[in-house]
Short mmCIF file of all heavy atoms in Angstrom, two decimals:
data_model
loop_
_atom_site.label_atom_id
_atom_site.label_comp_id
_atom_site.label_asym_id
_atom_site.label_seq_id
_atom_site.Cartn_x
_atom_site.Cartn_y
_atom_site.Cartn_z
N LEU A 1 0.82 -1.21 0.00
CA LEU A 1 0.00 0.00 0.00
C LEU A 1 0.86 1.26 0.00
O LEU A 1 0.49 2.27 -0.63
CB LEU A 1 -0.93 -0.02 1.22
CG LEU A 1 -2.01 -1.10 1.20
CD1 LEU A 1 -2.83 -1.06 2.48
CD2 LEU A 1 -2.92 -0.94 -0.01
N CYS A 2 2.00 1.23 0.68
CA CYS A 2 2.89 2.40 0.68
C CYS A 2 3.49 2.63 -0.71
O CYS A 2 3.63 3.78 -1.15
CB CYS A 2 4.00 2.22 1.71
SG CYS A 2 3.45 2.43 3.43
N ILE A 3 3.85 1.55 -1.39
CA ILE A 3 4.37 1.67 -2.76
C ILE A 3 3.30 2.25 -3.68
O ILE A 3 3.58 3.14 -4.51
CB ILE A 3 4.87 0.31 -3.27
CG1 ILE A 3 6.11 -0.13 -2.48
CG2 ILE A 3 5.19 0.38 -4.76
CD1 ILE A 3 6.56 -1.54 -2.81
N ALA A 4 2.06 1.76 -3.53
CA ALA A 4 0.96 2.31 -4.34
C ALA A 4 0.70 3.77 -4.00
O ALA A 4 0.38 4.57 -4.88
CB ALA A 4 -0.30 1.48 -4.11
N TRP A 5 0.87 4.12 -2.73
CA TRP A 5 0.68 5.51 -2.30
C TRP A 5 1.71 6.43 -2.95
O TRP A 5 1.39 7.52 -3.42
CB TRP A 5 0.77 5.57 -0.78
CG TRP A 5 0.35 6.87 -0.17
CD1 TRP A 5 -0.18 7.95 -0.84
CD2 TRP A 5 0.38 7.22 1.21
NE1 TRP A 5 -0.47 8.96 0.04
CE2 TRP A 5 -0.13 8.55 1.31
CE3 TRP A 5 0.80 6.56 2.36
CZ2 TRP A 5 -0.22 9.20 2.53
CZ3 TRP A 5 0.70 7.22 3.57
CH2 TRP A 5 0.20 8.52 3.65
N VAL A 6 2.96 5.96 -2.99
CA VAL A 6 4.01 6.76 -3.60
C VAL A 6 3.76 6.93 -5.10
O VAL A 6 3.96 8.02 -5.67
CB VAL A 6 5.39 6.12 -3.36
CG1 VAL A 6 6.48 6.82 -4.16
CG2 VAL A 6 5.73 6.14 -1.87
N LYS A 7 3.31 5.88 -5.76
CA LYS A 7 3.08 5.93 -7.19
C LYS A 7 1.87 6.79 -7.55
O LYS A 7 1.93 7.61 -8.47
CB LYS A 7 2.88 4.52 -7.74
CG LYS A 7 4.15 3.67 -7.73
CD LYS A 7 3.88 2.30 -8.33
CE LYS A 7 5.16 1.45 -8.38
NZ LYS A 7 4.91 0.10 -8.94
N LYS A 8 0.76 6.61 -6.84
CA LYS A 8 -0.47 7.32 -7.17
C LYS A 8 -0.62 8.65 -6.45
O LYS A 8 -1.50 9.44 -6.78
CB LYS A 8 -1.68 6.44 -6.84
CG LYS A 8 -1.75 5.13 -7.61
CD LYS A 8 -3.07 4.44 -7.39
CE LYS A 8 -3.33 4.19 -5.92
NZ LYS A 8 -4.62 3.51 -5.68
N LYS A 9 0.20 8.89 -5.42
CA LYS A 9 0.13 10.10 -4.61
C LYS A 9 -1.15 10.19 -3.79
O LYS A 9 -1.42 11.22 -3.17
CB LYS A 9 0.25 11.37 -5.48
CG LYS A 9 1.47 11.39 -6.38
CD LYS A 9 2.77 11.36 -5.60
CE LYS A 9 3.97 11.44 -6.53
NZ LYS A 9 5.26 11.38 -5.79
N THR A 10 -1.92 9.12 -3.77
CA THR A 10 -3.16 9.12 -3.00
C THR A 10 -3.58 7.68 -2.70
O THR A 10 -3.12 6.73 -3.36
CB THR A 10 -4.28 9.83 -3.77
OG1 THR A 10 -5.45 9.89 -2.95
CG2 THR A 10 -4.62 9.09 -5.04
N LEU A 11 -4.47 7.53 -1.71
CA LEU A 11 -5.04 6.23 -1.36
C LEU A 11 -6.54 6.39 -1.22
O LEU A 11 -7.03 7.42 -0.73
CB LEU A 11 -4.46 5.71 -0.03
CG LEU A 11 -3.01 5.25 0.01
CD1 LEU A 11 -2.62 4.89 1.43
CD2 LEU A 11 -2.79 4.07 -0.92
N ASN A 12 -7.28 5.37 -1.68
CA ASN A 12 -8.72 5.42 -1.47
C ASN A 12 -9.05 5.03 -0.02
O ASN A 12 -8.17 4.63 0.75
CB ASN A 12 -9.46 4.53 -2.47
CG ASN A 12 -9.02 3.08 -2.39
OD1 ASN A 12 -8.82 2.52 -1.31
ND2 ASN A 12 -8.89 2.43 -3.55
N SER A 13 -10.31 5.14 0.35
CA SER A 13 -10.71 4.91 1.74
C SER A 13 -10.43 3.49 2.20
O SER A 13 -9.98 3.26 3.33
CB SER A 13 -12.20 5.23 1.90
OG SER A 13 -12.47 6.58 1.60
N ASN A 14 -10.68 2.52 1.33
CA ASN A 14 -10.42 1.12 1.66
C ASN A 14 -8.94 0.90 1.95
O ASN A 14 -8.57 0.21 2.92
CB ASN A 14 -10.89 0.24 0.51
CG ASN A 14 -10.66 -1.24 0.77
OD1 ASN A 14 -10.91 -1.72 1.88
ND2 ASN A 14 -10.17 -1.95 -0.22
N GLU A 15 -8.09 1.48 1.14
CA GLU A 15 -6.64 1.31 1.32
C GLU A 15 -6.14 2.03 2.58
O GLU A 15 -5.20 1.56 3.23
CB GLU A 15 -5.91 1.83 0.08
CG GLU A 15 -6.15 0.98 -1.16
CD GLU A 15 -5.58 1.60 -2.42
OE1 GLU A 15 -5.41 2.85 -2.43
OE2 GLU A 15 -5.31 0.87 -3.38
N LYS A 16 -6.75 3.15 2.93
CA LYS A 16 -6.37 3.84 4.16
C LYS A 16 -6.64 2.96 5.38
O LYS A 16 -5.81 2.86 6.29
CB LYS A 16 -7.14 5.16 4.29
CG LYS A 16 -6.75 6.22 3.28
CD LYS A 16 -7.62 7.45 3.42
CE LYS A 16 -7.28 8.49 2.35
NZ LYS A 16 -8.17 9.69 2.43
N ILE A 17 -7.82 2.33 5.40
CA ILE A 17 -8.15 1.45 6.53
C ILE A 17 -7.21 0.25 6.57
O ILE A 17 -6.71 -0.14 7.64
CB ILE A 17 -9.62 0.99 6.44
CG1 ILE A 17 -10.56 2.19 6.43
CG2 ILE A 17 -9.96 0.07 7.60
CD1 ILE A 17 -12.01 1.83 6.23
N LEU A 18 -6.95 -0.35 5.41
CA LEU A 18 -6.06 -1.50 5.35
C LEU A 18 -4.64 -1.13 5.79
O LEU A 18 -3.97 -1.93 6.47
CB LEU A 18 -6.03 -2.08 3.94
CG LEU A 18 -7.26 -2.87 3.48
CD1 LEU A 18 -7.12 -3.28 2.03
CD2 LEU A 18 -7.44 -4.12 4.36
N LEU A 19 -4.19 0.06 5.42
CA LEU A 19 -2.84 0.48 5.78
C LEU A 19 -2.70 0.62 7.30
O LEU A 19 -1.75 0.09 7.90
CB LEU A 19 -2.51 1.82 5.11
CG LEU A 19 -1.14 2.43 5.43
CD1 LEU A 19 -0.02 1.50 4.98
CD2 LEU A 19 -0.99 3.79 4.75
N LEU A 20 -3.64 1.31 7.93
CA LEU A 20 -3.58 1.47 9.38
C LEU A 20 -3.81 0.15 10.10
O LEU A 20 -3.21 -0.11 11.15
CB LEU A 20 -4.61 2.50 9.84
CG LEU A 20 -4.31 3.95 9.43
CD1 LEU A 20 -5.41 4.88 9.94
CD2 LEU A 20 -2.96 4.40 9.97
N LEU A 21 -4.67 -0.69 9.54
CA LEU A 21 -4.90 -2.01 10.13
C LEU A 21 -3.64 -2.86 10.10
O LEU A 21 -3.28 -3.51 11.08
CB LEU A 21 -6.05 -2.71 9.41
CG LEU A 21 -6.45 -4.10 9.92
CD1 LEU A 21 -6.90 -4.02 11.37
CD2 LEU A 21 -7.55 -4.69 9.05
N GLY A 22 -2.95 -2.85 8.95
CA GLY A 22 -1.70 -3.60 8.84
C GLY A 22 -0.64 -3.09 9.79
O GLY A 22 0.08 -3.87 10.43
N CYS A 23 -0.53 -1.75 9.93
CA CYS A 23 0.46 -1.16 10.85
C CYS A 23 0.15 -1.55 12.29
O CYS A 23 1.06 -1.93 13.05
CB CYS A 23 0.47 0.36 10.71
SG CYS A 23 1.17 0.97 9.16
N SER A 24 -1.11 -1.43 12.69
CA SER A 24 -1.48 -1.73 14.08
C SER A 24 -1.24 -3.19 14.41
O SER A 24 -0.76 -3.53 15.50
CB SER A 24 -2.94 -1.35 14.34
OG SER A 24 -3.82 -2.15 13.56
N ARG A 25 -1.55 -4.07 13.47
CA ARG A 25 -1.35 -5.50 13.73
C ARG A 25 0.12 -5.87 13.76
O ARG A 25 0.54 -6.71 14.57
CB ARG A 25 -2.09 -6.32 12.67
CG ARG A 25 -3.58 -6.33 12.89
CD ARG A 25 -4.32 -7.11 11.85
NE ARG A 25 -5.71 -7.26 12.23
CZ ARG A 25 -6.64 -7.78 11.46
NH1 ARG A 25 -6.32 -8.20 10.24
NH2 ARG A 25 -7.89 -7.89 11.89
N PHE A 26 0.92 -5.26 12.90
CA PHE A 26 2.35 -5.54 12.92
C PHE A 26 2.97 -5.14 14.25
O PHE A 26 3.69 -5.92 14.88
CB PHE A 26 3.04 -4.79 11.78
CG PHE A 26 4.54 -4.91 11.81
CD1 PHE A 26 5.17 -6.02 11.26
CD2 PHE A 26 5.32 -3.91 12.40
CE1 PHE A 26 6.56 -6.13 11.30
CE2 PHE A 26 6.70 -4.02 12.44
CZ PHE A 26 7.32 -5.13 11.89
N TRP A 27 2.67 -3.93 14.71
CA TRP A 27 3.26 -3.47 15.97
C TRP A 27 2.67 -4.19 17.17
O TRP A 27 3.37 -4.40 18.18
CB TRP A 27 3.08 -1.96 16.10
CG TRP A 27 3.99 -1.20 15.20
CD1 TRP A 27 3.65 -0.45 14.11
CD2 TRP A 27 5.42 -1.14 15.29
NE1 TRP A 27 4.75 0.07 13.51
CE2 TRP A 27 5.87 -0.33 14.22
CE3 TRP A 27 6.36 -1.69 16.15
CZ2 TRP A 27 7.21 -0.06 14.00
CZ3 TRP A 27 7.70 -1.43 15.94
CH2 TRP A 27 8.12 -0.63 14.88
N TYR A 28 1.38 -4.59 17.09
CA TYR A 28 0.81 -5.36 18.19
C TYR A 28 1.52 -6.70 18.35
O TYR A 28 1.91 -7.08 19.45
CB TYR A 28 -0.69 -5.59 17.96
CG TYR A 28 -1.26 -6.66 18.85
CD1 TYR A 28 -1.44 -6.43 20.22
CD2 TYR A 28 -1.60 -7.91 18.34
CE1 TYR A 28 -1.94 -7.42 21.04
CE2 TYR A 28 -2.11 -8.90 19.16
CZ TYR A 28 -2.28 -8.66 20.51
OH TYR A 28 -2.77 -9.64 21.33
N LEU A 29 1.70 -7.40 17.23
CA LEU A 29 2.38 -8.69 17.28
C LEU A 29 3.83 -8.54 17.73
O LEU A 29 4.35 -9.35 18.50
CB LEU A 29 2.32 -9.38 15.92
CG LEU A 29 0.95 -9.92 15.50
CD1 LEU A 29 0.98 -10.40 14.06
CD2 LEU A 29 0.52 -11.06 16.43
N CYS A 30 4.49 -7.49 17.25
CA CYS A 30 5.89 -7.26 17.60
C CYS A 30 6.06 -6.99 19.09
O CYS A 30 6.87 -7.64 19.77
CB CYS A 30 6.44 -6.09 16.77
SG CYS A 30 8.20 -5.77 17.03
#
């Protein structure tokens, strides 16, 4: 999602939720 963000310069609403969800789960598990 970060690579797509850099390429498109924007994220849709679904991708914003997925991005924060992935970050929160990664740091929670870590």
